[in-house]
Amino acid sequence: GYRSRSRDFGEPVVFNLSERRDDVGDDGCSNAYEDGPGGCLDEPLGDPNVDANGDDFDLLTNPRGTEGNHEYDEGEPFQDFGIDGVPESISGIADLGEGDGVFTYNPRFESLIMQDARTFFLNADVEELRKHSYYFDGGIRDMLHALTAAMHLSAALESRGLEVRRYEDFAGQPGSLFPDNVCDQVIGLDNPELLVDLDYSPGGMGKNVLMAYGDPTATETEALKTRSGKHVGSGCELLLRPTLFFSMAMNRMPDTIRIADYDFEANIVYSSYYSEVLESRRWFAVNLPPGYDTNPELTGRDFPLGIMLPGVGMPLMETIEATRLLAMSQGTGATPRFILLAPDGQCCYRNTVTQERFCNCYRISGGYRCVERECKGPHEECEVADIPRDNMQQECNSGHFFFNQTTNRWGETAMETSRFEDSLLEVIDVVSGMYRVKAPADVEVPVGF
């Protein structure tokens, strides 16, 4: 009912992310009311399809536009009824933010967007942003819209005056990184010089890069068969995605170790440590560079540390095994030698019958491989056993994205037992102490390096 004090179906009490607003831009009016110099008319005399004040959001041409950007911008009109969207005169309750004269977000949502990379790019000190290089990629047919997200991030950087070099697929198109070759030629050992001779410097490849992978000329049937441009990509795209990223990153490191010895032997090690943060044993995996312990030129050298964070639904084994082919690009000399860390990206498990908690397992075929949870010594001294999947359920929906979790999937407070962001910093320190990882250092590099 209209004046009922209880919530009826359709009344926005629980699901609003913010107070209601009009997404007309920081000029405070929609196109029909815009006067051209940046102000608003009293009557809608303008053309609704003409952006007279130039504030319409467009991902490519006007990423800082505020009208139609699906965000609140200072100057936009809003209803000061709180996040339930209902005035106190109707609901009988003055909820969060109501009547305070300030636009209010749901605090949980506001916390989320304030940690968003795009928000950081739009607000961070621009000189701090210039100190780094950023590489984005996404498939042109990705159902999860990774490319759209990458375009938002790169557009935010461009709006701050930073260069972003955009590539149309890896190969075969006028705007590709390798316009005169097809994808399979780039990864083939018949043409190792393609990746070896590529100029990975900011001046050559671009200071910041956006790779829109996927063959835009492929028919729907061809794309369905090859998975070109999909979330993971075709076989060739899957190989080139990490190869190019890590090649660009490591080639921009000082004192690189590039050896064309054609040693393609990846040395993947599964290990664990006792996490004081999570109060349990925790798995990780590393991919050591070819020749790490066997090549006399390398056995005394320290290496940069690369990190590959598993995405949602990506268990530890699948993540690290997908990096085996990086050994090929390191063996040809295209990618400098480096140590690659894959920390466990899965939430802890709970046996729903016994209520036992397992943060010490990773998924294998048919079950889980678990290391003794309270063992605090070296991994080799801890017992390892395989257990079935029966009654095992994760505490979050697959991956934790390396965030500290406030609650688990059952709504139970988990702030002290699910500090996955803190555990990421912890495992980096652990791996740096176990392997020959280069220590942090300030170095001088030539302009344009």
Side-chain angles (χ1 to χ4, degrees):
Y2 176 65
R3 294 190 178 277
S4 170
R5 289 179 182 269
S6 62
R7 180 179 185 272
D8 298 296
F9 182 78
E11 290 182 341
V13 175
V14 178
F15 301 109
N16 279 356
L17 297 177
S18 67
E19 292 182 309
R20 294 179 181 272
R21 62 183 174 80
D22 297 325
D23 193 12
V24 295
D26 55 10
D27 60 4
C29 56
S30 61
N31 287 347
Y33 287 85
E34 293 177 352
D35 63 4
C40 300
L41 304 169
D42 294 330
E43 301 292 335
L45 303 178
D47 187 336
N49 298 314
V50 175
D51 179 21
N53 286 348
D55 65 344
D56 281 5
F57 172 81
D58 185 276
L59 180 56
L60 294 178
T61 62
N62 193 21
R64 295 304 292 267
T66 53
E67 183 166 347
N69 66 351
H70 301 287
E71 302 175 48
Y72 172 74
D73 299 283
E74 192 70 35
E76 290 182 326
F78 65 93
Q79 297 177 352
D80 197 14
F81 297 153
I83 61 173
D84 68 359
V86 182
E88 182 182 4
S89 60
I90 294 177
S91 67
I93 300 173
D95 75 310
L96 181 66
E98 184 161 356
D100 62 0
V102 178
F103 180 78
T104 303
Y105 277 115
N106 183 303
R108 297 295 188 197
F109 180 66
E110 185 171 33
S111 176
L112 175 66
I113 61 177
M114 290 309 295
Q115 298 179 67
D116 175 66
R118 178 175 174 273
T119 303
F120 174 76
F121 287 160
L122 291 174
N123 294 284
D125 179 78
V126 70
E127 292 307 315
E128 185 65 28
L129 293 176
R130 292 186 191 279
K131 294 178 182 178
H132 305 276
S133 292
Y134 300 93
Y135 183 96
F136 310 98
D137 80 355
I140 61 176
R141 301 179 181 90
D142 183 3
M143 67 175 183
L144 298 181
H145 300 288
L147 179 57
T148 304
M151 291 171 66
H152 276 287
L153 293 174
S154 61
L157 283 179
E158 288 181 308
S159 73
R160 303 298 305 280
L162 277 69
E163 174 220 9
V164 178
R165 189 84 56 86
R166 298 171 184 264
Y167 290 100
E168 182 185 18
D169 204 5
F170 295 111
Q173 307 300 323
S176 295
L177 187 61
F178 300 96
D180 300 324
N181 302 94
V182 297
C183 192
D184 288 343
Q185 291 175 325
V186 179
I187 63 171
L189 288 177
D190 293 337
N191 304 280
E193 69 279 355
L194 291 176
L195 285 173
V196 173
D197 295 340
L198 184 65
D199 184 355
Y200 294 99
S201 71
M205 194 173 179
K207 178 69 164 63
N208 307 293
V209 172
L210 171 61
M211 175 63 69
Y213 65 84
D215 181 0
T217 67
T219 65
E220 183 176 349
T221 300
E222 291 170 339
L224 185 63
K225 181 179 180 181
T226 65
R227 304 192 66 80
S228 176
K230 300 285 188 177
H231 185 63
V232 174
S234 67
C236 183
E237 291 158 8
L238 173 60
L239 298 181
L240 280 176
R241 289 179 64 196
T243 298
L244 277 175
F245 167 71
F246 284 111
S247 294
M248 185 186 93
M250 296 302 162
N251 272 295
R252 296 184 186 188
M253 294 282 185
D255 191 25
T256 57
I257 306 173
R258 292 182 63 168
I259 304 174
D261 59 3
Y262 290 85
D263 181 355
F264 303 138
E265 186 66 35
N267 184 11
I268 290 178
V269 179
Y270 291 87
S271 190
S272 68
Y273 73 104
Y274 183 81
S275 171
E276 300 290 346
V277 168
L278 298 174
E279 299 179 355
S280 177
R281 202 77 191 181
R282 196 69 172 161
W283 284 95
F284 65 87
V286 292
N287 190 344
L288 300 175
Y292 178 83
D293 284 324
T294 58
N295 188 330
E297 294 184 53
L298 303 178
T299 51
R301 303 290 296 272
D302 293 339
F303 300 88
L305 180 67
I307 304 172
M308 189 166 183
L309 301 182
V312 63
M314 285 186 65
L316 179 64
M317 180 177 286
E318 282 85 341
T319 301
I320 196 66
E321 292 297 330
T323 70
R324 281 189 179 275
L325 290 162
L326 279 170
M328 183 177 73
S329 61
Q330 293 183 82
T332 61
T335 308
R337 307 291 166 105
F338 71 102
I339 297 170
L340 179 62
L341 162 66
D344 190 355
Q346 298 288 293
C347 282
C348 301
Y349 296 86
R350 180 184 295 184
N351 186 305
T352 56
V353 174
T354 66
Q355 298 303 306
E356 288 181 285
R357 189 168 188 257
F358 298 86
C359 297
N360 51 317
C361 307
Y362 71 87
R363 196 173 75 192
I364 59 175
S365 177
Y368 302 94
R369 181 151 295 161
C370 304
V371 63
E372 184 183 353
R373 79 181 77 193
E374 295 182 0
C375 179
K376 296 188 177 182
H379 174 74
E380 294 74 20
E381 297 179 2
C382 303
E383 292 187 15
V384 176
D386 295 345
I387 64 173
R389 292 188 183 182
D390 300 344
N391 306 315
M392 295 283 275
Q393 190 171 7
Q394 282 189 295
E395 293 180 341
C396 71
N397 186 17
S398 190
H400 52 63
F401 287 110
F402 299 92
F403 277 97
N404 292 340
Q405 306 289 315
T406 302
T407 63
N408 59 29
R409 71 188 307 156
W410 300 287
E412 300 166 344
T413 301
M415 295 180 67
E416 296 303 318
T417 57
S418 299
R419 294 162 50 199
F420 295 109
E421 179 181 352
D422 297 339
S423 71
L424 172 61
L425 302 178
E426 182 184 46
V427 72
I428 292 173
D429 287 341
V430 168
V431 170
S432 297
M434 292 176 63
Y435 298 97
R436 300 196 306 272
V437 174
K438 275 190 173 183
D442 293 324
V443 298
E444 292 186 8
V445 296
V447 174
F449 177 76

